[in-house]
């Protein structure tokens, strides 16, 4: 009796083990590839699936996008500059059967071919193209990987260059080049400003030649600007006397054109007022000229 109980227990345990081996769960983001006695028996969709123990083998393949970093590669560009370039690739399995049958390890294979493709594509470009045309390089790498991985049931969705390491000597050379470019732009801008200023001054001088009073007004404005800070020094511009002469000539022309006599110009020097002179010569009772006083 005890032997029968033991036998029943063993059978139940074996049945439970067989049931556990026969029941498989395929997740929503997976697809099952079933092999029966070594031959392909089709695929299994997500859910609870049953197989025959010791006869069927179910491989679950993930259909999610995989992020695979491509380690830094030492590359010599077309203009013989050594750079270290790293990238990242995104791919996903679109055909679970091919990814299992056509290649042993799809992730390792894509990693290796991505490294060789990165060296090949970047080596065909110069350093300036590698730094400025990354979109075109990314597209070229992706197209090559798509062709190579199509037979494996894999689709490469995106490839991006992640980091480009330059030698220290090249960094210094690029810094000097950028500094020289900035200086060139600064000199060009300064020259353009001088040209515009010269043109504006030329126009201003033509206007002042046509209107002599404009120069006098400009001189007066300069005097006002000087006197803002309450300076004790008064500066008279050198062309003041010539301006007065030009003003007299202008008034003469205007009077001749209008048919009226020309008004007399003010004297260029300050003569002594006769009234003041008489006041000095005729002292009052309380104003006697001393020995040191002068009558001008």
């Amino acid at each position: 009796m005890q032997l029968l109980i033991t036998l029943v227990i063993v059978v139940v345990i074996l049945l439970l083990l067989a049931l556990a081996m026969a029941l498989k769960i395929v997740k929503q983001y997976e697809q099952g590839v079933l092999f029966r006695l070594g031959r392909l028996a089709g695929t299994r969709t997500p859910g609870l699936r049953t197989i025959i123990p010791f006869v069927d083998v179910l491989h679950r393949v993930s259909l999610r996008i995989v992020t695979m970093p491509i380690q830094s590669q030492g590359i010599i560009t077309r203009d013989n500059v050594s750079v270290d370039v790293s990238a990242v690739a995104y791919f996903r399995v679109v055909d679970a059967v091919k990814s299992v049958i056509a290649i042993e390890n799809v992730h390792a294979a894509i990693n290796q071919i991505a490294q060789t493709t990165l060296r090949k594509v970047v080596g065909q470009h110069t350093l300036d193209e590698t730094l400025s045309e990354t979109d075109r390089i990314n597209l070229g790498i992706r197209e090559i990987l798509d062709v190579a991985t199509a037979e494996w049931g894999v689709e490469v969705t995106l490839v991006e260059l992640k980091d480009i390491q330059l030698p220290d000597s090249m960094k210094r050379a690029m810094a000097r080049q950028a500094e020289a470019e900035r200086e060139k732009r600064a000199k060009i801008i300064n020259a353009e400003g001088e040209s515009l200023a010269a043109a504006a001054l030329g126009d201003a001088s033509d206007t002042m030649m046509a209107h002599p009073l404009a120069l006098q007004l400009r001189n007066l404005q300069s005097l006002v600007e000087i006197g803002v800070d309450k300076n004790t020094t008064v500066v008279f511009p050198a062309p003041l006397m010539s301006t007065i002469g030009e003003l007299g000539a202008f008034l003469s022309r205007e009077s001749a054109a209008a048919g009226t006599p020309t008004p007399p110009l003010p004297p260029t020097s300050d003569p002594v007022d006769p009234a003041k002179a008489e006041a000095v010569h005729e002292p009052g009772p309380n104003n006697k000229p001393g020995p040191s006083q002068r009558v001008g």
Side-chain angles (χ1 to χ4, degrees), residues 3 21 28 46 53 63 168 185 195 212 218 229 262 271-272 291:
L3 182 60
M21 295 175 63
Q28 182 64 39
L63 303 179
D168 294 337
R185 293 180 183 177
S195 177
R218 187 69 185 88
D229 297 332
T262 304
V272 179

Side-chain angles (χ1 to χ4, degrees), residues 172-198:
R172 290 192 293 269
M174 294 178 67
R176 291 194 298 270
Q177 179 184 1
E179 184 178 357
E181 184 69 23
R182 293 291 182 181
E183 290 180 357
K184 182 186 76 171
R185 293 180 183 177
K187 290 180 180 179
I188 292 175
I189 294 173
N190 189 18
E192 291 177 351
E194 292 292 340
S195 177
L196 295 176

Side-chain angles (χ1 to χ4, degrees), residues 17-213:
L17 290 175
L19 182 62
M21 295 175 63
L23 296 178
K24 298 293 183 180
I25 297 177
V26 181
K27 297 180 181 179
Q28 182 64 39
Y29 55 86
E30 294 178 338
Q31 187 174 13
V33 180
L34 183 64
F35 290 90
R36 181 163 294 166
L37 296 177
R39 295 177 63 87
L40 179 64
T43 59
R44 296 295 182 267
T45 56
L48 181 63
R49 298 291 177 259
T50 59
I51 62 174
I52 302 174
F54 306 104
V55 176
D56 296 341
V57 177
L58 184 66
H59 291 275
R60 288 184 287 263
V61 180
S62 177
L63 303 179
R64 294 180 295 181
I65 295 178
V66 179
T67 302
M68 183 186 65
I70 304 174
Q71 62 183 3
S72 180
Q73 303 293 312
I75 304 171
I76 298 178
T77 60
R78 194 175 65 184
D79 52 351
N80 298 324
V81 178
S82 178
V83 295
D84 292 334
V85 182
S86 61
V88 58
Y90 299 87
F91 67 91
R92 64 187 181 93
V93 176
V94 294
D95 192 335
V97 176
K98 288 184 179 180
S99 67
V100 175
I101 296 177
I103 192 167
E104 179 181 2
N105 190 336
V106 65
H107 292 79
I110 293 177
N111 188 15
Q112 293 299 320
I113 194 174
Q115 294 180 18
T116 57
T117 304
L118 177 63
R119 288 195 296 268
K120 177 182 177 181
V121 174
V122 175
Q124 296 175 353
H125 295 79
T126 62
L127 178 61
D128 292 338
E129 293 175 350
T130 303
L131 296 175
S132 61
E133 301 180 2
T134 55
D135 293 339
R136 187 160 63 92
I137 295 176
N138 295 335
L139 183 60
I141 297 174
R142 177 186 172 186
E143 290 177 352
I144 295 175
L145 291 179
D146 276 337
V147 174
T149 59
E151 299 179 356
W152 306 340
V154 176
E155 178 186 6
V156 179
T157 59
L158 183 65
V159 177
E160 290 288 341
L161 296 181
K162 185 170 60 174
D163 189 18
I164 300 176
Q165 294 291 336
L166 301 176
D168 294 337
S169 59
M170 183 56 62
K171 291 181 180 179
R172 290 192 293 269
M174 294 178 67
R176 291 194 298 270
Q177 179 184 1
E179 184 178 357
E181 184 69 23
R182 293 291 182 181
E183 290 180 357
K184 182 186 76 171
R185 293 180 183 177
K187 290 180 180 179
I188 292 175
I189 294 173
N190 189 18
E192 291 177 351
E194 292 292 340
S195 177
L196 295 176
L201 289 175
D203 295 339
S205 63
D206 294 339
T207 303
M208 289 182 179
M209 289 296 294
H211 303 280
L213 290 176

Side-chain angles (χ1 to χ4, degrees), residues 237-257:
L240 179 61
M241 306 308 296
S242 62
T243 302
I244 295 175
E246 292 177 358
L247 179 60
F250 174 74
L251 294 177
S252 299
R253 290 195 302 270
E254 293 293 329
S255 299

